[in-house]
Amino acid sequence: MIWTREKRYQPYSAYSEADKETLAEQVSSSVYKPAFHIHPTSGLLNDPNGFSYFNGQWHIFYQAFPFGPVHGLKSWVHCVSDDLVHWHNLGIALNPGNQYDSHGAYSGSAQVINDKLFLMYTGNVRDKNWQRRSYQLGAWMDENNQITKVNQPLITAPDYVTEHFRDPQLLKVNDEYFALIGSQDKQNLRGEFSLYKTQDLKNWEDMGYIKHNLGDMGYMVECPNLVYVDDKPVLIFCPQGLPQNILPTDNIYPNVYTVGSNLDFKTGTWYSDTSTLMQLDAGFDVYASQAVNAPDGQAYLISWVGLPEINYPSDKENWAHCLSLVKRLKVVDNKLYQIPVTAMSTLAVAEQTLPQNQQVLVTDTKQQYELKLDLDSNQTGNLLLASDGTSDNGLQLQFDTNNEGYLIVDRSNVGEKFATKYGETRKVNVNPHKKLSLDIFVDHSICEIFINGGEQVMTLRFFAPQTQTMIAFSEQNTLKYSGSYILLSDM
């Protein structure tokens, strides 16, 4: 199909029930469909939104275009969970269509207020000349998951920003509410964090841009997200056009974080002992991450596993992307650790200890598993996932726990190629002469690698033939290691 502008933005009513059934069947029959990651029932999934705990359940919404693997008229799809692992898809919850979101319900957040969940999101509107106007909008969700939109915008874009003004995070601080919004300054076309304040969710005070020491944020800041981890404020966001001297990156757009000491909401000032930005994920495909503080203070994070402006092999099946596993966050020495939530163990079906002194560790993985592997210090090797039994085909994890200390993920020989313009390898440094601990989740077309207890994470999509089911080392050797293979069920 040629996705013209008219097709992308025609009303959902233009699609018949037969159209919807055909699209859903393409996803359900796809060999690439994840088993224990949130994925679209049809069409495109992108940013996670409204991550929250409300009415005794976890809630996550994702931005969706249900009719193809493209960005078009966006809605929010609603998923709920009791444990952050088993998610139930409730379908479309927030529809576009009024005068303030006529061309899409874009990204946003959620906040529990009294006995309801308040959703704050960006409404996208285009005029007859296709000029965009953004509105920050509100909606209330009751305990029956019924949503009622607020009939007037909460915030309209100020004159000093361009049309790029979106992705509000609603925060409660004492008896006041604040909105953190990604924006582009009209005068210099640079990315900024806008801050607004209100007491009643109706009358909003523009506090201008947040003052910070982070340097040049590129031409746009998307998905700004403040979360408190071990009592430290962590600012997570997606700077577009970030200069390489600020943070070298191979991805088209990075997802970054910085650990501060305080965000002063009275003055709109970010305080930090360092201006250092860190990659949130050192892999290929993480973007638009959203974190939330639970009622007990713990911090959790989920990400879109997909990148803007990249074509993925599942596009030809009319669906695209998934969400990451939920990770619990902690801060150690001003570094953000990401750890799979404990309830992931409830997906385990069978576990086997890895054999010793063998090239092939597991013959038939079923392509949905967890691999726990501890590699001893002072050795080098090449671990193959999704392998056909040769060194020519598989996802390669090249490691050095000897003098250099690194882990390289290479997806150049693991099925269908895509996004090669941005490179086919990613590398992280690890401590030399020390054990390397890996906790790896593979789910048909997504791989999440947790390194040394979550100190670093590498997430990627790959699209290998499902007949490539071996876990092996690239050659017979005397590597020293220990670990286990755990077959996982569907979520």
Side-chain angles (χ1 to χ4, degrees), residues 153-181:
L154 307 180
I155 299 169
T156 57
D159 292 339
Y160 55 82
V161 301
T162 70
E163 63 182 33
H164 299 292
F165 181 66
R166 55 182 174 266
D167 310 336
Q169 184 194 14
L170 182 62
L171 298 159
K172 185 177 182 181
V173 182
N174 299 320
D175 294 325
E176 295 180 309
Y177 295 96
F178 293 84
L180 186 62
I181 304 170

Side-chain angles (χ1 to χ4, degrees), residues 217-480:
M217 292 294 96
Y219 60 78
M220 178 59 186
V221 168
E222 290 197 316
C223 306
N225 192 195
L226 178 71
V227 66
Y228 291 87
V229 185
D230 298 328
D231 296 324
K232 288 183 174 291
V234 179
L235 190 58
I236 300 169
F237 59 100
C238 298
Q240 296 185 326
L242 187 71
Q244 289 287 321
N245 65 330
I246 299 290
L247 180 70
T249 179
D250 292 318
N251 291 349
I252 181 174
Y253 303 124
N255 204 159
V256 305
Y257 78 89
T258 185
V259 179
S261 56
N262 182 40
L263 176 56
D264 186 335
F265 285 93
K266 291 183 179 180
T267 63
T269 304
W270 172 259
Y271 290 100
S272 176
D273 295 332
T274 175
S275 61
T276 302
L277 295 182
M278 303 287 287
Q279 292 273 15
L280 184 67
D281 189 290
F284 296 82
D285 295 290
V286 156
Y287 196 74
S289 300
Q290 188 165 101
V292 64
N293 283 112
D296 65 0
Q298 290 280 3
Y300 298 97
L301 177 134
I302 191 168
S303 304
W304 174 29
V305 186
L307 284 173
E309 301 170 39
I310 299 292
N311 296 319
Y312 287 79
S314 63
D315 289 3
K316 64 180 178 291
E317 298 176 339
N318 275 322
W319 70 277
H321 312 312
C322 60
L323 297 184
S324 73
L325 301 177
V326 176
K327 284 93 74 173
R328 180 174 62 85
L329 304 179
K330 67 177 183 179
V331 169
V332 179
D333 296 329
N334 277 334
K335 195 170 189 178
L336 191 65
Y337 280 58
Q338 303 174 56
I339 305 159
V341 296
T342 304
M344 283 302 300
S345 63
T346 63
L347 294 177
V349 173
E351 182 173 359
Q352 65 187 64
T353 301
L354 297 178
Q356 295 298 306
N357 301 316
Q358 291 189 25
Q359 181 180 0
V360 177
L361 302 182
V362 182
T363 301
D364 186 2
T365 62
K366 309 300 183 187
Q367 293 292 35
Q368 53 188 83
Y369 63 85
E370 178 182 8
L371 177 67
K372 295 183 176 181
L373 183 61
D374 290 333
L375 297 157
D376 282 9
S377 60
N378 300 314
Q379 55 186 352
T380 61
N382 188 18
L383 177 69
L384 300 174
L385 308 178
S387 170
D388 64 356
T390 73
S391 298
D392 296 329
N393 296 298
L395 180 64
Q396 299 182 46
L397 277 63
Q398 303 162 21
F399 58 88
D400 181 335
T401 61
N402 197 9
N403 293 321
E404 294 189 48
Y406 61 75
L407 176 68
I408 297 174
V409 176
D410 183 341
R411 67 178 181 188
S412 61
N413 293 300
V414 64
E416 297 188 61
K417 288 181 175 290
F418 63 101
T420 57
K421 175 182 177 181
Y422 302 100
E424 296 183 288
T425 63
R426 295 292 185 269
K427 178 181 179 180
V428 296
N429 295 321
V430 299
N431 290 328
H433 310 299
K434 289 190 177 182
K435 179 180 72 174
L436 174 61
S437 293
L438 303 176
D439 191 2
I440 303 170
F441 292 86
V442 170
D443 191 4
H444 296 277
S445 63
I446 177 174
C447 179
E448 297 187 63
I449 305 167
F450 297 84
I451 303 164
N452 291 334
E455 181 180 6
Q456 299 184 88
V457 184
M458 303 178 81
T459 301
L460 65 138
R461 300 298 303 278
F462 69 99
F463 297 84
Q466 297 298 289
T467 53
Q468 294 180 199
T469 60
M470 287 188 181
I471 302 173
F473 292 111
S474 61
E475 58 186 27
Q476 189 67 44
N477 52 40
T478 56
L479 287 170
K480 295 181 179 180

